[in-house]
Amino acid sequence: MKVLYAFQGTGNGHIARAQQIIPILKKHATVDTLISGHQSQLCGDFDIDFQHRGISLLYNKTGGLSYKKIIAENDFKKTVKLIREIDLQHYDLIINDYEPITAWASKIRGFNMIEMSHQAALSFAETPKPKRKEIFGNLFLKHYAPSKIKIGFHFENYHSQIKKPVIREKIRNLNPERNGFYIVYLPSFSDENIIKLLSQVDVQWKVFSKYTKTNYRINNIEIFPVGESAFLSSFELCEGILCNAGFEGPAEALFLNKKLFVIPIHRQYEQECNAFALQQMGIPTSKKLDIVEIQKWVNSEQNHQVFYPNDVEETILKNVLSM
């Protein structure tokens, strides 16, 4: 069986999930990999057969999506041309993690495709969502990478086709401790905004930033360039993590029983849904860098236990490769 695993390169979560899924797929099939998007700081531990710039979400430095950047820095004409021309007919199955080029090519030409993504979970009515819908964001979520057959991943099993998060071995193999310091990963905020606010909270902060290439310290705040090894070392020993309301990062924090505080990227509906679901689980959230709420969180004794089994291979064999 020949399989194409196509995944999104906006953010780090899709690559983190691919690190776990691709080796499993290669045990049972011949696998090519394709990535599109240009906003990830995480490198895969596997070969990439096809790489395209694609369409990425882009952010300002104050916590929100930048529609101006999305329009200016993405080549929509080239992406449409690629959708029309990409050769997928020699694959028996396309597995898609919210990747638009292969999703639209499959929809137009009727290729055999199944979506395995966190975004797929948001298509089910049972999944928690805020009452107020961000209209553009909701439309974008539905049509960015269309699919008929969906397997979703979420914090809980809200539906029979929604599975618990894929926790990669690099996280499962950590020996977590709580050593008092906090880590921060908020790529939608500038370093200056983060430093100005968090310097008011008297704990040690380790900020992982896509805006710097060198380490530096300002008072109680250390700034590091984004790097997987340094991040995982800090993640293992930190007290908690302050991050955007993505999916893999918060899921990994819950799995390691770290304190968690999330700030959804403004006008990104998917993150608003994630924050809403986490809030229902008792995780603190805020729409902005709210220093009062962050201080309350630091002073809290948050302890949230989850059970995320290592069952992704079973899911792949029963729900994907048996199609």
Side-chain angles (χ1 to χ4, degrees):
M1 186 178 195
K2 190 166 186 180
V3 173
L4 177 66
Y5 186 86
F7 59 103
Q8 170 61 239
T10 296
N12 297 321
H14 305 276
I15 293 180
R17 186 160 49 242
Q19 286 180 344
Q20 189 68 13
I21 289 177
I22 287 172
I24 293 171
L25 286 172
K26 287 186 173 181
K27 290 165 58 177
H28 303 283
T30 301
V31 181
D32 286 345
T33 57
L34 180 151
I35 182 172
S36 76
H38 48 93
Q39 288 295 304
S40 176
Q41 288 79 51
L42 189 64
C43 296
D45 297 332
F46 46 83
D47 292 332
I48 302 293
D49 297 293
F50 308 100
Q51 186 163 3
H52 303 288
R53 187 168 175 82
I55 303 297
S56 283
L57 297 178
L58 296 151
Y59 312 111
N60 55 37
K61 293 186 177 182
T62 56
L65 283 178
S66 172
Y67 293 125
K68 183 178 179 180
K69 285 185 177 181
I70 290 170
I71 293 169
E73 298 183 26
N74 285 304
D75 191 334
F76 292 93
K77 184 177 180 180
K78 184 176 180 180
T79 301
V80 170
K81 184 174 185 292
L82 183 58
I83 289 168
R84 290 173 176 167
E85 296 177 354
I86 191 168
D87 183 13
L88 302 175
Q89 61 186 352
H90 53 288
Y91 293 106
D92 301 301
L93 176 65
I94 298 161
I95 301 173
N96 185 291
D97 186 346
Y98 205 54
E99 192 289 305
I101 295 168
T102 56
W104 276 100
S106 297
K107 178 181 175 66
I108 292 167
R109 283 175 268 170
F111 294 131
N112 189 22
M113 191 194 89
I114 183 168
E115 181 181 2
M116 290 181 66
S117 71
H118 168 61
Q119 288 79 8
L122 300 178
S123 66
F124 295 96
E126 294 85 353
T127 302
K129 302 179 187 71
K131 290 182 179 179
R132 186 193 68 81
K133 288 187 178 181
E134 207 281 314
I135 296 173
F136 177 80
N138 191 39
L139 288 172
F140 187 93
L141 186 64
K142 287 182 177 180
H143 300 294
Y144 179 74
S147 64
K148 290 184 178 179
I149 304 172
K150 301 174 186 287
I151 295 175
F153 300 104
H154 215 310
F155 303 121
E156 299 288 351
N157 297 123
Y158 302 113
H159 184 278
S160 61
Q161 285 299 99
I162 296 176
K163 312 301 179 184
K164 295 285 185 70
V166 176
I167 304 296
R168 52 194 166 132
E169 290 301 318
K170 290 178 181 180
I171 297 295
R172 292 185 181 275
N173 292 336
L174 296 179
N175 297 304
E177 299 177 13
R178 288 191 177 186
N179 288 355
F181 68 89
Y182 290 79
I183 61 176
V184 180
Y185 182 59
L186 291 169
S188 61
F189 289 91
S190 69
D191 295 350
E192 292 77 14
N193 281 335
I194 293 170
I195 291 166
K196 179 181 179 181
L197 287 162
L198 294 187
S199 61
Q200 302 172 52
V201 181
D202 189 20
V203 294
Q204 293 301 308
W205 298 97
K206 294 188 177 185
V207 177
F208 287 85
S209 167
K210 70 176 185 179
Y211 302 110
T212 185
K213 294 184 178 180
T214 58
N215 299 3
Y216 64 96
R217 174 189 281 274
I218 298 178
N219 299 322
N220 61 326
I221 301 172
E222 290 182 272
I223 311 294
F224 301 87
V226 177
E228 186 177 38
S229 178
F231 183 84
L232 289 179
S233 295
S234 296
F235 201 16
E236 183 175 39
L237 302 177
C238 73
E239 189 79 12
I241 179 170
L242 170 63
C243 60
N244 287 133
F247 177 62
E248 270 69 27
E252 291 173 351
L254 291 171
F255 177 79
L256 294 176
N257 194 23
K258 300 293 184 180
K259 292 172 66 174
L260 175 63
F261 190 109
V262 301
I263 302 173
I265 293 173
H266 182 55
R267 295 192 293 186
Q268 187 167 342
Y269 182 60
E270 174 198 340
Q271 293 219 354
E272 292 178 5
C273 292
N274 293 343
F276 185 77
L278 287 167
Q279 195 172 41
Q280 290 196 332
M281 295 168 66
I283 303 301
T285 73
S286 175
K287 293 185 180 297
K288 61 180 181 178
L289 268 170
D290 188 323
I291 202 65
V292 173
E293 293 303 315
I294 290 171
Q295 183 69 69
K296 286 181 184 177
W297 170 65
V298 166
N299 294 339
S300 74
E301 297 292 333
Q302 186 184 107
N303 185 10
H304 193 95
Q305 300 285 342
V306 296
F307 174 63
Y308 292 161
N310 192 6
D311 60 356
V312 65
E313 185 163 10
E314 180 183 352
T315 296
I316 289 170
L317 289 175
K318 287 185 176 180
N319 300 89
V320 180
L321 296 182
S322 61
M323 282 183 61

